Structure formats: C-alpha cells, structure tokens
C-alpha cells in the first residue's frame, strides 16, 4: 500500500508548495493536482473541457482538516479529481472575494453554509453546484464525496445544457438578490451609501433596526436565537455604540444594556476562567472561541480568530468590562502576536494530544494530564484583521490608560505600514512569514487600517498616523471594481459578516452580521437551484456544513 501511495505522489502535479498561504501549504503533499485560484487554472479547464472543483477553507478550521484527512489524502480521490476536474484550493482569508462569491452561490443549493466549502464551476467561472463538508462514505443522509464527484462528472458529460442552464440561473438569482437587498434597504430606511443622499442611514433608522435585535434574545441561556451561539461581535458593538449614530438624541440605554447581556453571555463566568478553565466561549487565557455548538453555550468550536477577539476587545472596552478586555489583550499579546509585531489571523481548533490531533485538546480538562502541544497558528497577516486589532488596542489604551495595549498597537501598525502599505497604491492584503500574497488588497483592508491609524492618532497625539491614514484612503481599492485574478464572479447582496466587508461605503451597524446571505430565488419563490432540481443532484439530501458563517446552522456529526 505504501508503494502504491508513492506511485500516486510521483504522478501528482500539486502546485501549492510555494503558496503564500499556510492553508494551501497544508495541502501541498496531497495526492491531488491542486492549483491556486487564477486564470491559469481556468485556462487549463477550458483546454481539457472539464469543470473546476473549488475547495475553500482556512488553516485553523477543524472540519477542513477532517475532510483533508478523509478525502484529499486519499490517492483514489486524487485520481478521480485528476481525471475529471481541475482542482483549485482557496484560502478564504487570502481570497475573501472568491469566498464571498462562492458562498453566495452555495446558498442557492444548501442552507447549511460554512467551511469547507465545495463548489463546482464551469471553465468560465460560473458555479453550477455547491455544498460544504462531504464524508468519505454516505453518513446521516449526506452523500459520499466520491458519489458527488461521480454525479458531477456524469452531468457534465451527459447533460451539458442542463449544467449551463443551472449556472445561468444561479447568476441571475444572485443579481436579483443583490438588487432586492438594495431595494429592501431603501424601503426600510437602511440604504446603501450610494442610495442615500448623505451616504449613510440616519440615527432613527439605525436605532429602529437595532431595537429589533431584542426580539431574538434567548432569555433562558443568553445570546441570540435558540440554536448555535456566536459572539456576534459586530452586532454587539453596534448596540453598544448606537448613541454615536447621531447627535442630539438621547443615548439608547436599553441597547447598551442588551449589548452588555450578549457579551456577558458569551464570556461566561470570570471565576471559572480565573481558576484555569474555559467558560462558554472564553478560554483560560482570555481569548474567545469561534462559537458554541449548543444553545446552552456548551461544546465550543475551539478555533480562535483575530477578527472576533479584536472586535470583542473593542466591545468590552466600550462597555467597561475590564476583566474581559484585559484577558483579550493578554491573548493577543501572548498567543496571536508574531515576532514581527503583527497578529496571526487565527489559532487552530486542533492540537496534538499524546501525538494525535484532537479538537479542543489544549482546552478540554480531560486532557490536562496528557502530553499536549499548543494549537498551531495560521501565521497569515491580514491587513483588515490587523486593522481591527490595532484600533481596538488603541481605543483600550486611550480609555483605560493601558500602556501595554498601546505598545502592541504601535508595533503592529509600524509593521503594516512598513510591509503592507509601504507607499501609495501599494497596499498588500496579506503576507505569510514576510512574503506578500499576490491576492489583491480590498476596500476593507484600506478602511480598517485607516480607521486603526486614526485611533492611534487619538491615543498618541502623533499626526504621523493620521497622515498615513489619509495616504491609504486616497489610493484605496474601489469596492465596485473586480480584480483580474481569475474569472469575474457574480456577488450576492452586499453585507458584512464577522467583520466589515468593505462592500458598503458606509459602516452602518445594522448590516446583516447575524444572518447568512439571502437564498437566491426564482420568480416562483423557490430556491434558484435546489438540490432536487440540479442535474448534479445525488440521492441524498443537501449536504451539511462544517465551519460556520456566524448564523444558526446545524453542525455535522463527528466522523
């Protein structure tokens, strides 16, 4: 068997070894002919007359690791992909534009959105089927990955017109959903910047929208909704700062109180954390996990993201939660901070326990007496996420006279200005170990970094930060423009998720951070491309997702 695998590896044309992405490099030794997203991969698909498989994930995603071990490490799966597809790996942190577009398309086929995201596209870049995690064998109604590949290949060969029709239907549904979201926003008074005369919703509209959040509060266990529980940092921040939405109006105290309850629900018990345990979403070192899989906040999903913790630090500072804020500063300083002074994008959900990878192994008390290693970091430095961290640290330093937070913010900002924004028009989206990614910078990168530098101006009184912010904004990418790195993808409705997307010119706090993108629908009101309508359907129900976009979705059963 070992010899057979060696032969497979010798035949493999895997091109991820030099990628500027830790996630892509994790797949560099797969027996799969992986390509990076770009024109070259789609040109190869056109030349061969085969569809493109785009597998989207990120380096710290537990279920991405599971599918990699179960399927992408299997030489037989590699052979199927080599024969019938051009296989493309995408790091959602490196290519948020591709991730957003494919996630929007996936919503036409399944409600269970998340990562790993598995999408099939024509050589022109049009998605015609998508799902999330697929097991190696049929399990709990989900089809096996090899069955999905077989169904896609058969449809591609035998029903090309149906495949093309599905792809066109998805594109039109996404365009329609995008138009519908703008019309709905205008009707409700929450217009896009381009639709409002002054470029932003007024304070009355903002507060009216935020007040509706209270209807979703779980009065039994805390948090929002009755499914999985997320920290909802952008939404809590909007609630906590609603009094800043307009001058002359009284501060909406009920909204701040709601923000406090939501933060406290996610943070759990201070005494448990101080005693060396984790409580709800807060680890013993102060950092917050991604989400909890149960309504009562039990069974966390243990990965820890910079975007979540940066915004929760901002929230805790705004609400005067000193213990929570200090704990997050500790986590940023002692866990996510890299030798360069910048911050890694995330900490893995898995760690080695007695030589085996275990989700939550570093945090679960039952492993305390085992030999265990810290979870690895995804060392990718993302400009927008670092901007959120720098801003939160600067605000913390200013409000609470926290010199450590200020030193962390200054060090990270100096690194980004030197290496991610060295001159006008040269903004870098991400880098790995000092090597810049070829992925184009986004409007979110420019906006978040500039906002951070303005916060540093307030915290230090130094004009150099404001000067740098102005330079970045003057040459910021236009959110309406597409890059030339691969096919142009149709985006769905503009919305923020777990962090500002940059697709709206105003940072209205009532963006859809608590919801998934609207499902594209036909004129009849049905989902545009339900699993049963698709020529690529399998006999099983729509697959379930592994990672999460930040809304209440079911978690797949553990393999």
């Amino acid at each position: 068997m070992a010899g057979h695998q060696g032969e497979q590896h010798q035949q493999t044309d895997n091109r991820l070894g030099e990628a500027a992405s830790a996630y892509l490099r994790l797949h560099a030794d797969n027996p799969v002919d992986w390509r990076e997203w770009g024109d070259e991969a789609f040109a190869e698909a056109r030349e061969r007359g085969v569809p493109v498989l785009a597998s989207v994930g990120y380096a710290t995603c537990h279920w991405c690791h599971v599918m990699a071990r179960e399927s992408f490490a299997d030489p037989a799966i590699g052979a199927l992909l080599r024969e019938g597809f051009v296989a493309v790996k995408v790091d959602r942190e490196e290519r948020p534009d591709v991730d957003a577009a494919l996630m929007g398309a996936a919503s036409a086929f399944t409600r269970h959105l998340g990562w790993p995201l598995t999408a099939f596209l024509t050589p022109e870049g049009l998605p015609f089927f998508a799902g999330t995690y697929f097991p190696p064998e049929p399990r709990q109604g989900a089809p096996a990955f090899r069955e999905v590949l077989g169904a896609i290949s058969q449809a591609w060969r035998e029903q090309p017109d149906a495949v093309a029709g599905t792809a066109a239907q998805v594109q039109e549904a996404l365009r329609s959903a995008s138009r519908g979201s703008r019309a709905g926003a205008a009707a409700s008074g929450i217009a896009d910047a381009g639709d409002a005369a002054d470029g932003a919703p007024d304070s009355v509209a903002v507060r009216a929208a935020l007040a509706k959040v209270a209807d979703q509060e779980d009065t039994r266990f805390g948090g929002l909704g009755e499914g999985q529980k997320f920290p909802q940092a952008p939404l809590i921040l909007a609630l906590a700062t609603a009094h800043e939405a307009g001058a002359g109006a009284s501060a909406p105290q009920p909204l701040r109180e709601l923000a406090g309850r939501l933060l406290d629900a996610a943070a759990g018990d201070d005494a448990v954390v101080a005693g060396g345990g984790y409580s709800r979403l807060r680890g013993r070192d102060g950092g917050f996990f991604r989400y909890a899989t149960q309504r009562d906040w039990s069974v966390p999903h243990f990965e820890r993201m910079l975007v979540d913790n940066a915004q929760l630090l901002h929230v805790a500072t705004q609400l005067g939660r000193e213990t929570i804020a200090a704990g997050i500063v500790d986590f940023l300083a002692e866990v996510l901070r890299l030798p360069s002074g910048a911050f890694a994008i995330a900490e893995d959900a898995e760690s080695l326990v007695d030589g085996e990878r275990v989700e939550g192994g570093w945090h679960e008390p039952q492993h305390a007496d085992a030999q265990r290693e810290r979870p690895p970091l995804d060392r990718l430095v993302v400009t927008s996420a670092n901007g959120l961290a720098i801003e939160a640290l600067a605000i913390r330093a200013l409000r609470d006279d926290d010199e450590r937070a200020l030193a962390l913010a200054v060090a990270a900002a100096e690194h980004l200005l030197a290496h991610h924004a060295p001159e006008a028009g040269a903004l870098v989206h991400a880098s790995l170990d000092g090597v810049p990614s070829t992925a184009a910078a986004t409007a979110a990168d420019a906006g978040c970094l500039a906002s951070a530098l303005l916060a540093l101006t307030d915290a230090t009184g130094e004009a150099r930060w404001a000067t740098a912010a102005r330079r970045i904004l003057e040459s910021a990418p236009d959110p309406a423009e597409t890059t030339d790195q691969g096919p142009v993808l149709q985006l769905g409705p503009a919305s923020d998720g777990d962090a500002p997307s940059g697709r709206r010119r105003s940072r209205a706090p009532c963006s859809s951070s608590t919801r998934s993108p609207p499902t594209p629908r036909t004129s009849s009101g049905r989902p545009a491309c339900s699993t049963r309508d698709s020529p690529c359907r399998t006999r099983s129900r729509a697959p379930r997702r592994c990672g999460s976009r930040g809304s209440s979705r079911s978690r797949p059963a553990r393999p």
Side-chain angles (χ1 to χ4, degrees), residues 23 55-58 61-65 67 90-93 99-100 103 112-118 131-133 290-291 301 303 305 498 544-550 556:
Y23 176 62
S55 175
V56 186
Y58 52 103
C61 167
H62 167 66
W63 285 93
C64 299
H65 297 327
M67 191 167 178
V90 180
D91 183 345
R92 71 171 290 253
E93 305 289 6
D99 175 61
M103 191 64 71
H112 305 291
L113 299 173
W115 300 275
L117 174 62
T118 306
T132 53
Y133 164 79
R290 185 61 159 161
Y291 67 96
H301 195 53
E303 65 199 271
M305 319 295 285
D498 55 5
R544 291 186 288 177
R545 69 100 189 93
C546 145
S548 175
R549 295 197 75 256

Side-chain angles (χ1 to χ4, degrees), residues 316-478:
T317 301
Q318 289 280 357
L319 294 174
R321 300 303 198 267
E322 169 61 26
T323 301
I324 296 173
I328 298 176
V329 172
D330 288 343
F331 171 70
L332 294 177
E334 298 170 11
V335 178
L336 292 188
R337 188 172 188 259
L338 298 170
S340 66
F343 297 101
I345 191 64
E347 180 188 55
D348 208 316
E350 297 183 350
S351 57
L352 286 177
V353 178
D354 290 335
E356 295 186 6
R357 291 181 67 95
V358 177
E359 183 186 14
W362 179 254
H363 306 282
E364 291 282 18
Q366 63 263 34
H367 301 298
D369 296 329
Q371 286 188 329
R372 55 182 179 174
E373 299 179 10
R374 282 209 69 99
L377 297 179
D378 180 352
R379 303 183 312 280
L380 195 72
V381 175
V382 177
T383 298
S384 57
N386 270 261
L388 293 173
I390 294 166
E391 180 176 18
L393 288 164
I395 292 172
R396 160 81 176 174
L398 180 64
R399 295 200 176 195
D400 300 313
D401 196 25
D402 188 329
E403 294 185 1
R404 185 189 192 196
L406 182 59
L408 292 169
V410 168
E414 288 178 338
H415 175 82
L416 261 65
L417 289 179
H419 299 281
H420 282 211
E423 57 187 29
L427 190 62
V428 171
H429 169 63
S431 65
L432 181 66
D433 299 333
V435 178
S437 167
T438 59
T442 67
D445 292 323
C448 290
L449 180 54
S451 184
L453 296 175
L454 293 175
L456 264 182
T457 305
D458 288 342
T460 64
E462 298 176 14
R464 63 177 176 127
W465 304 114
T467 301
R470 179 174 181 176
R471 169 172 58 81
I472 290 166
L473 290 177
E474 286 176 343
S475 57
D478 186 338

Side-chain angles (χ1 to χ4, degrees), residues 21-242:
S21 158
Y23 176 62
L24 268 57
R25 290 186 187 181
L26 286 175
H27 292 268
D29 62 353
N30 291 164
V32 176
D33 289 358
W34 288 121
R35 307 288 188 258
E36 294 191 57
W37 181 277
D39 292 330
E40 183 178 342
F42 285 88
E44 180 182 346
R46 288 192 295 273
E47 181 179 348
R48 292 176 52 199
V50 297
V52 171
L53 161 71
S55 175
V56 186
Y58 52 103
T60 60
C61 167
H62 167 66
W63 285 93
C64 299
H65 297 327
V66 171
M67 191 167 178
R69 290 191 288 264
E70 292 177 339
S71 294
F72 298 136
D74 183 351
I77 292 294
L80 289 175
L81 291 172
R82 186 177 304 112
E83 178 181 355
F85 303 86
V86 170
V88 174
K89 258 294 171 192
V90 180
D91 183 345
R92 71 171 290 253
E93 305 289 6
E94 184 185 27
R95 293 303 304 265
D97 54 335
V98 175
D99 175 61
L102 295 184
M103 191 64 71
S107 69
F109 300 95
T110 176
R111 294 183 59 200
H112 305 291
L113 299 173
W115 300 275
L117 174 62
T118 306
F120 297 91
L121 303 91
T122 69
E124 293 71 40
L126 304 180
F128 62 89
F129 188 73
T132 53
Y133 164 79
F134 292 104
E137 303 296 338
R139 184 183 300 144
Q140 297 183 349
F145 187 45
R146 67 180 67 247
E147 293 177 345
V148 175
L149 295 179
I152 295 290
S153 293
Q154 182 178 5
W156 184 260
R157 293 190 308 269
E158 300 177 5
Q159 303 180 61
D161 291 342
V163 169
T166 297
Q169 199 174 21
V170 171
Q171 299 304 294
E172 179 53 37
L174 287 170
R175 285 191 289 268
S176 177
S178 183
R179 291 192 296 266
S181 72
R182 291 194 295 271
S188 64
I190 310 299
D192 284 341
D195 299 327
D198 62 355
D202 62 33
S203 60
V204 174
V206 169
R207 292 171 187 169
L210 290 174
K212 296 179 181 178
V213 175
D215 297 336
Q216 303 176 43
E217 186 177 11
D218 183 346
T219 56
R220 181 179 179 186
F221 294 108
L224 297 176
E226 297 183 355
Q228 298 173 337
K229 293 293 174 65
F230 298 81
Q232 304 284 11
L235 180 60
I236 300 176
L237 182 59
L239 292 165
T241 58

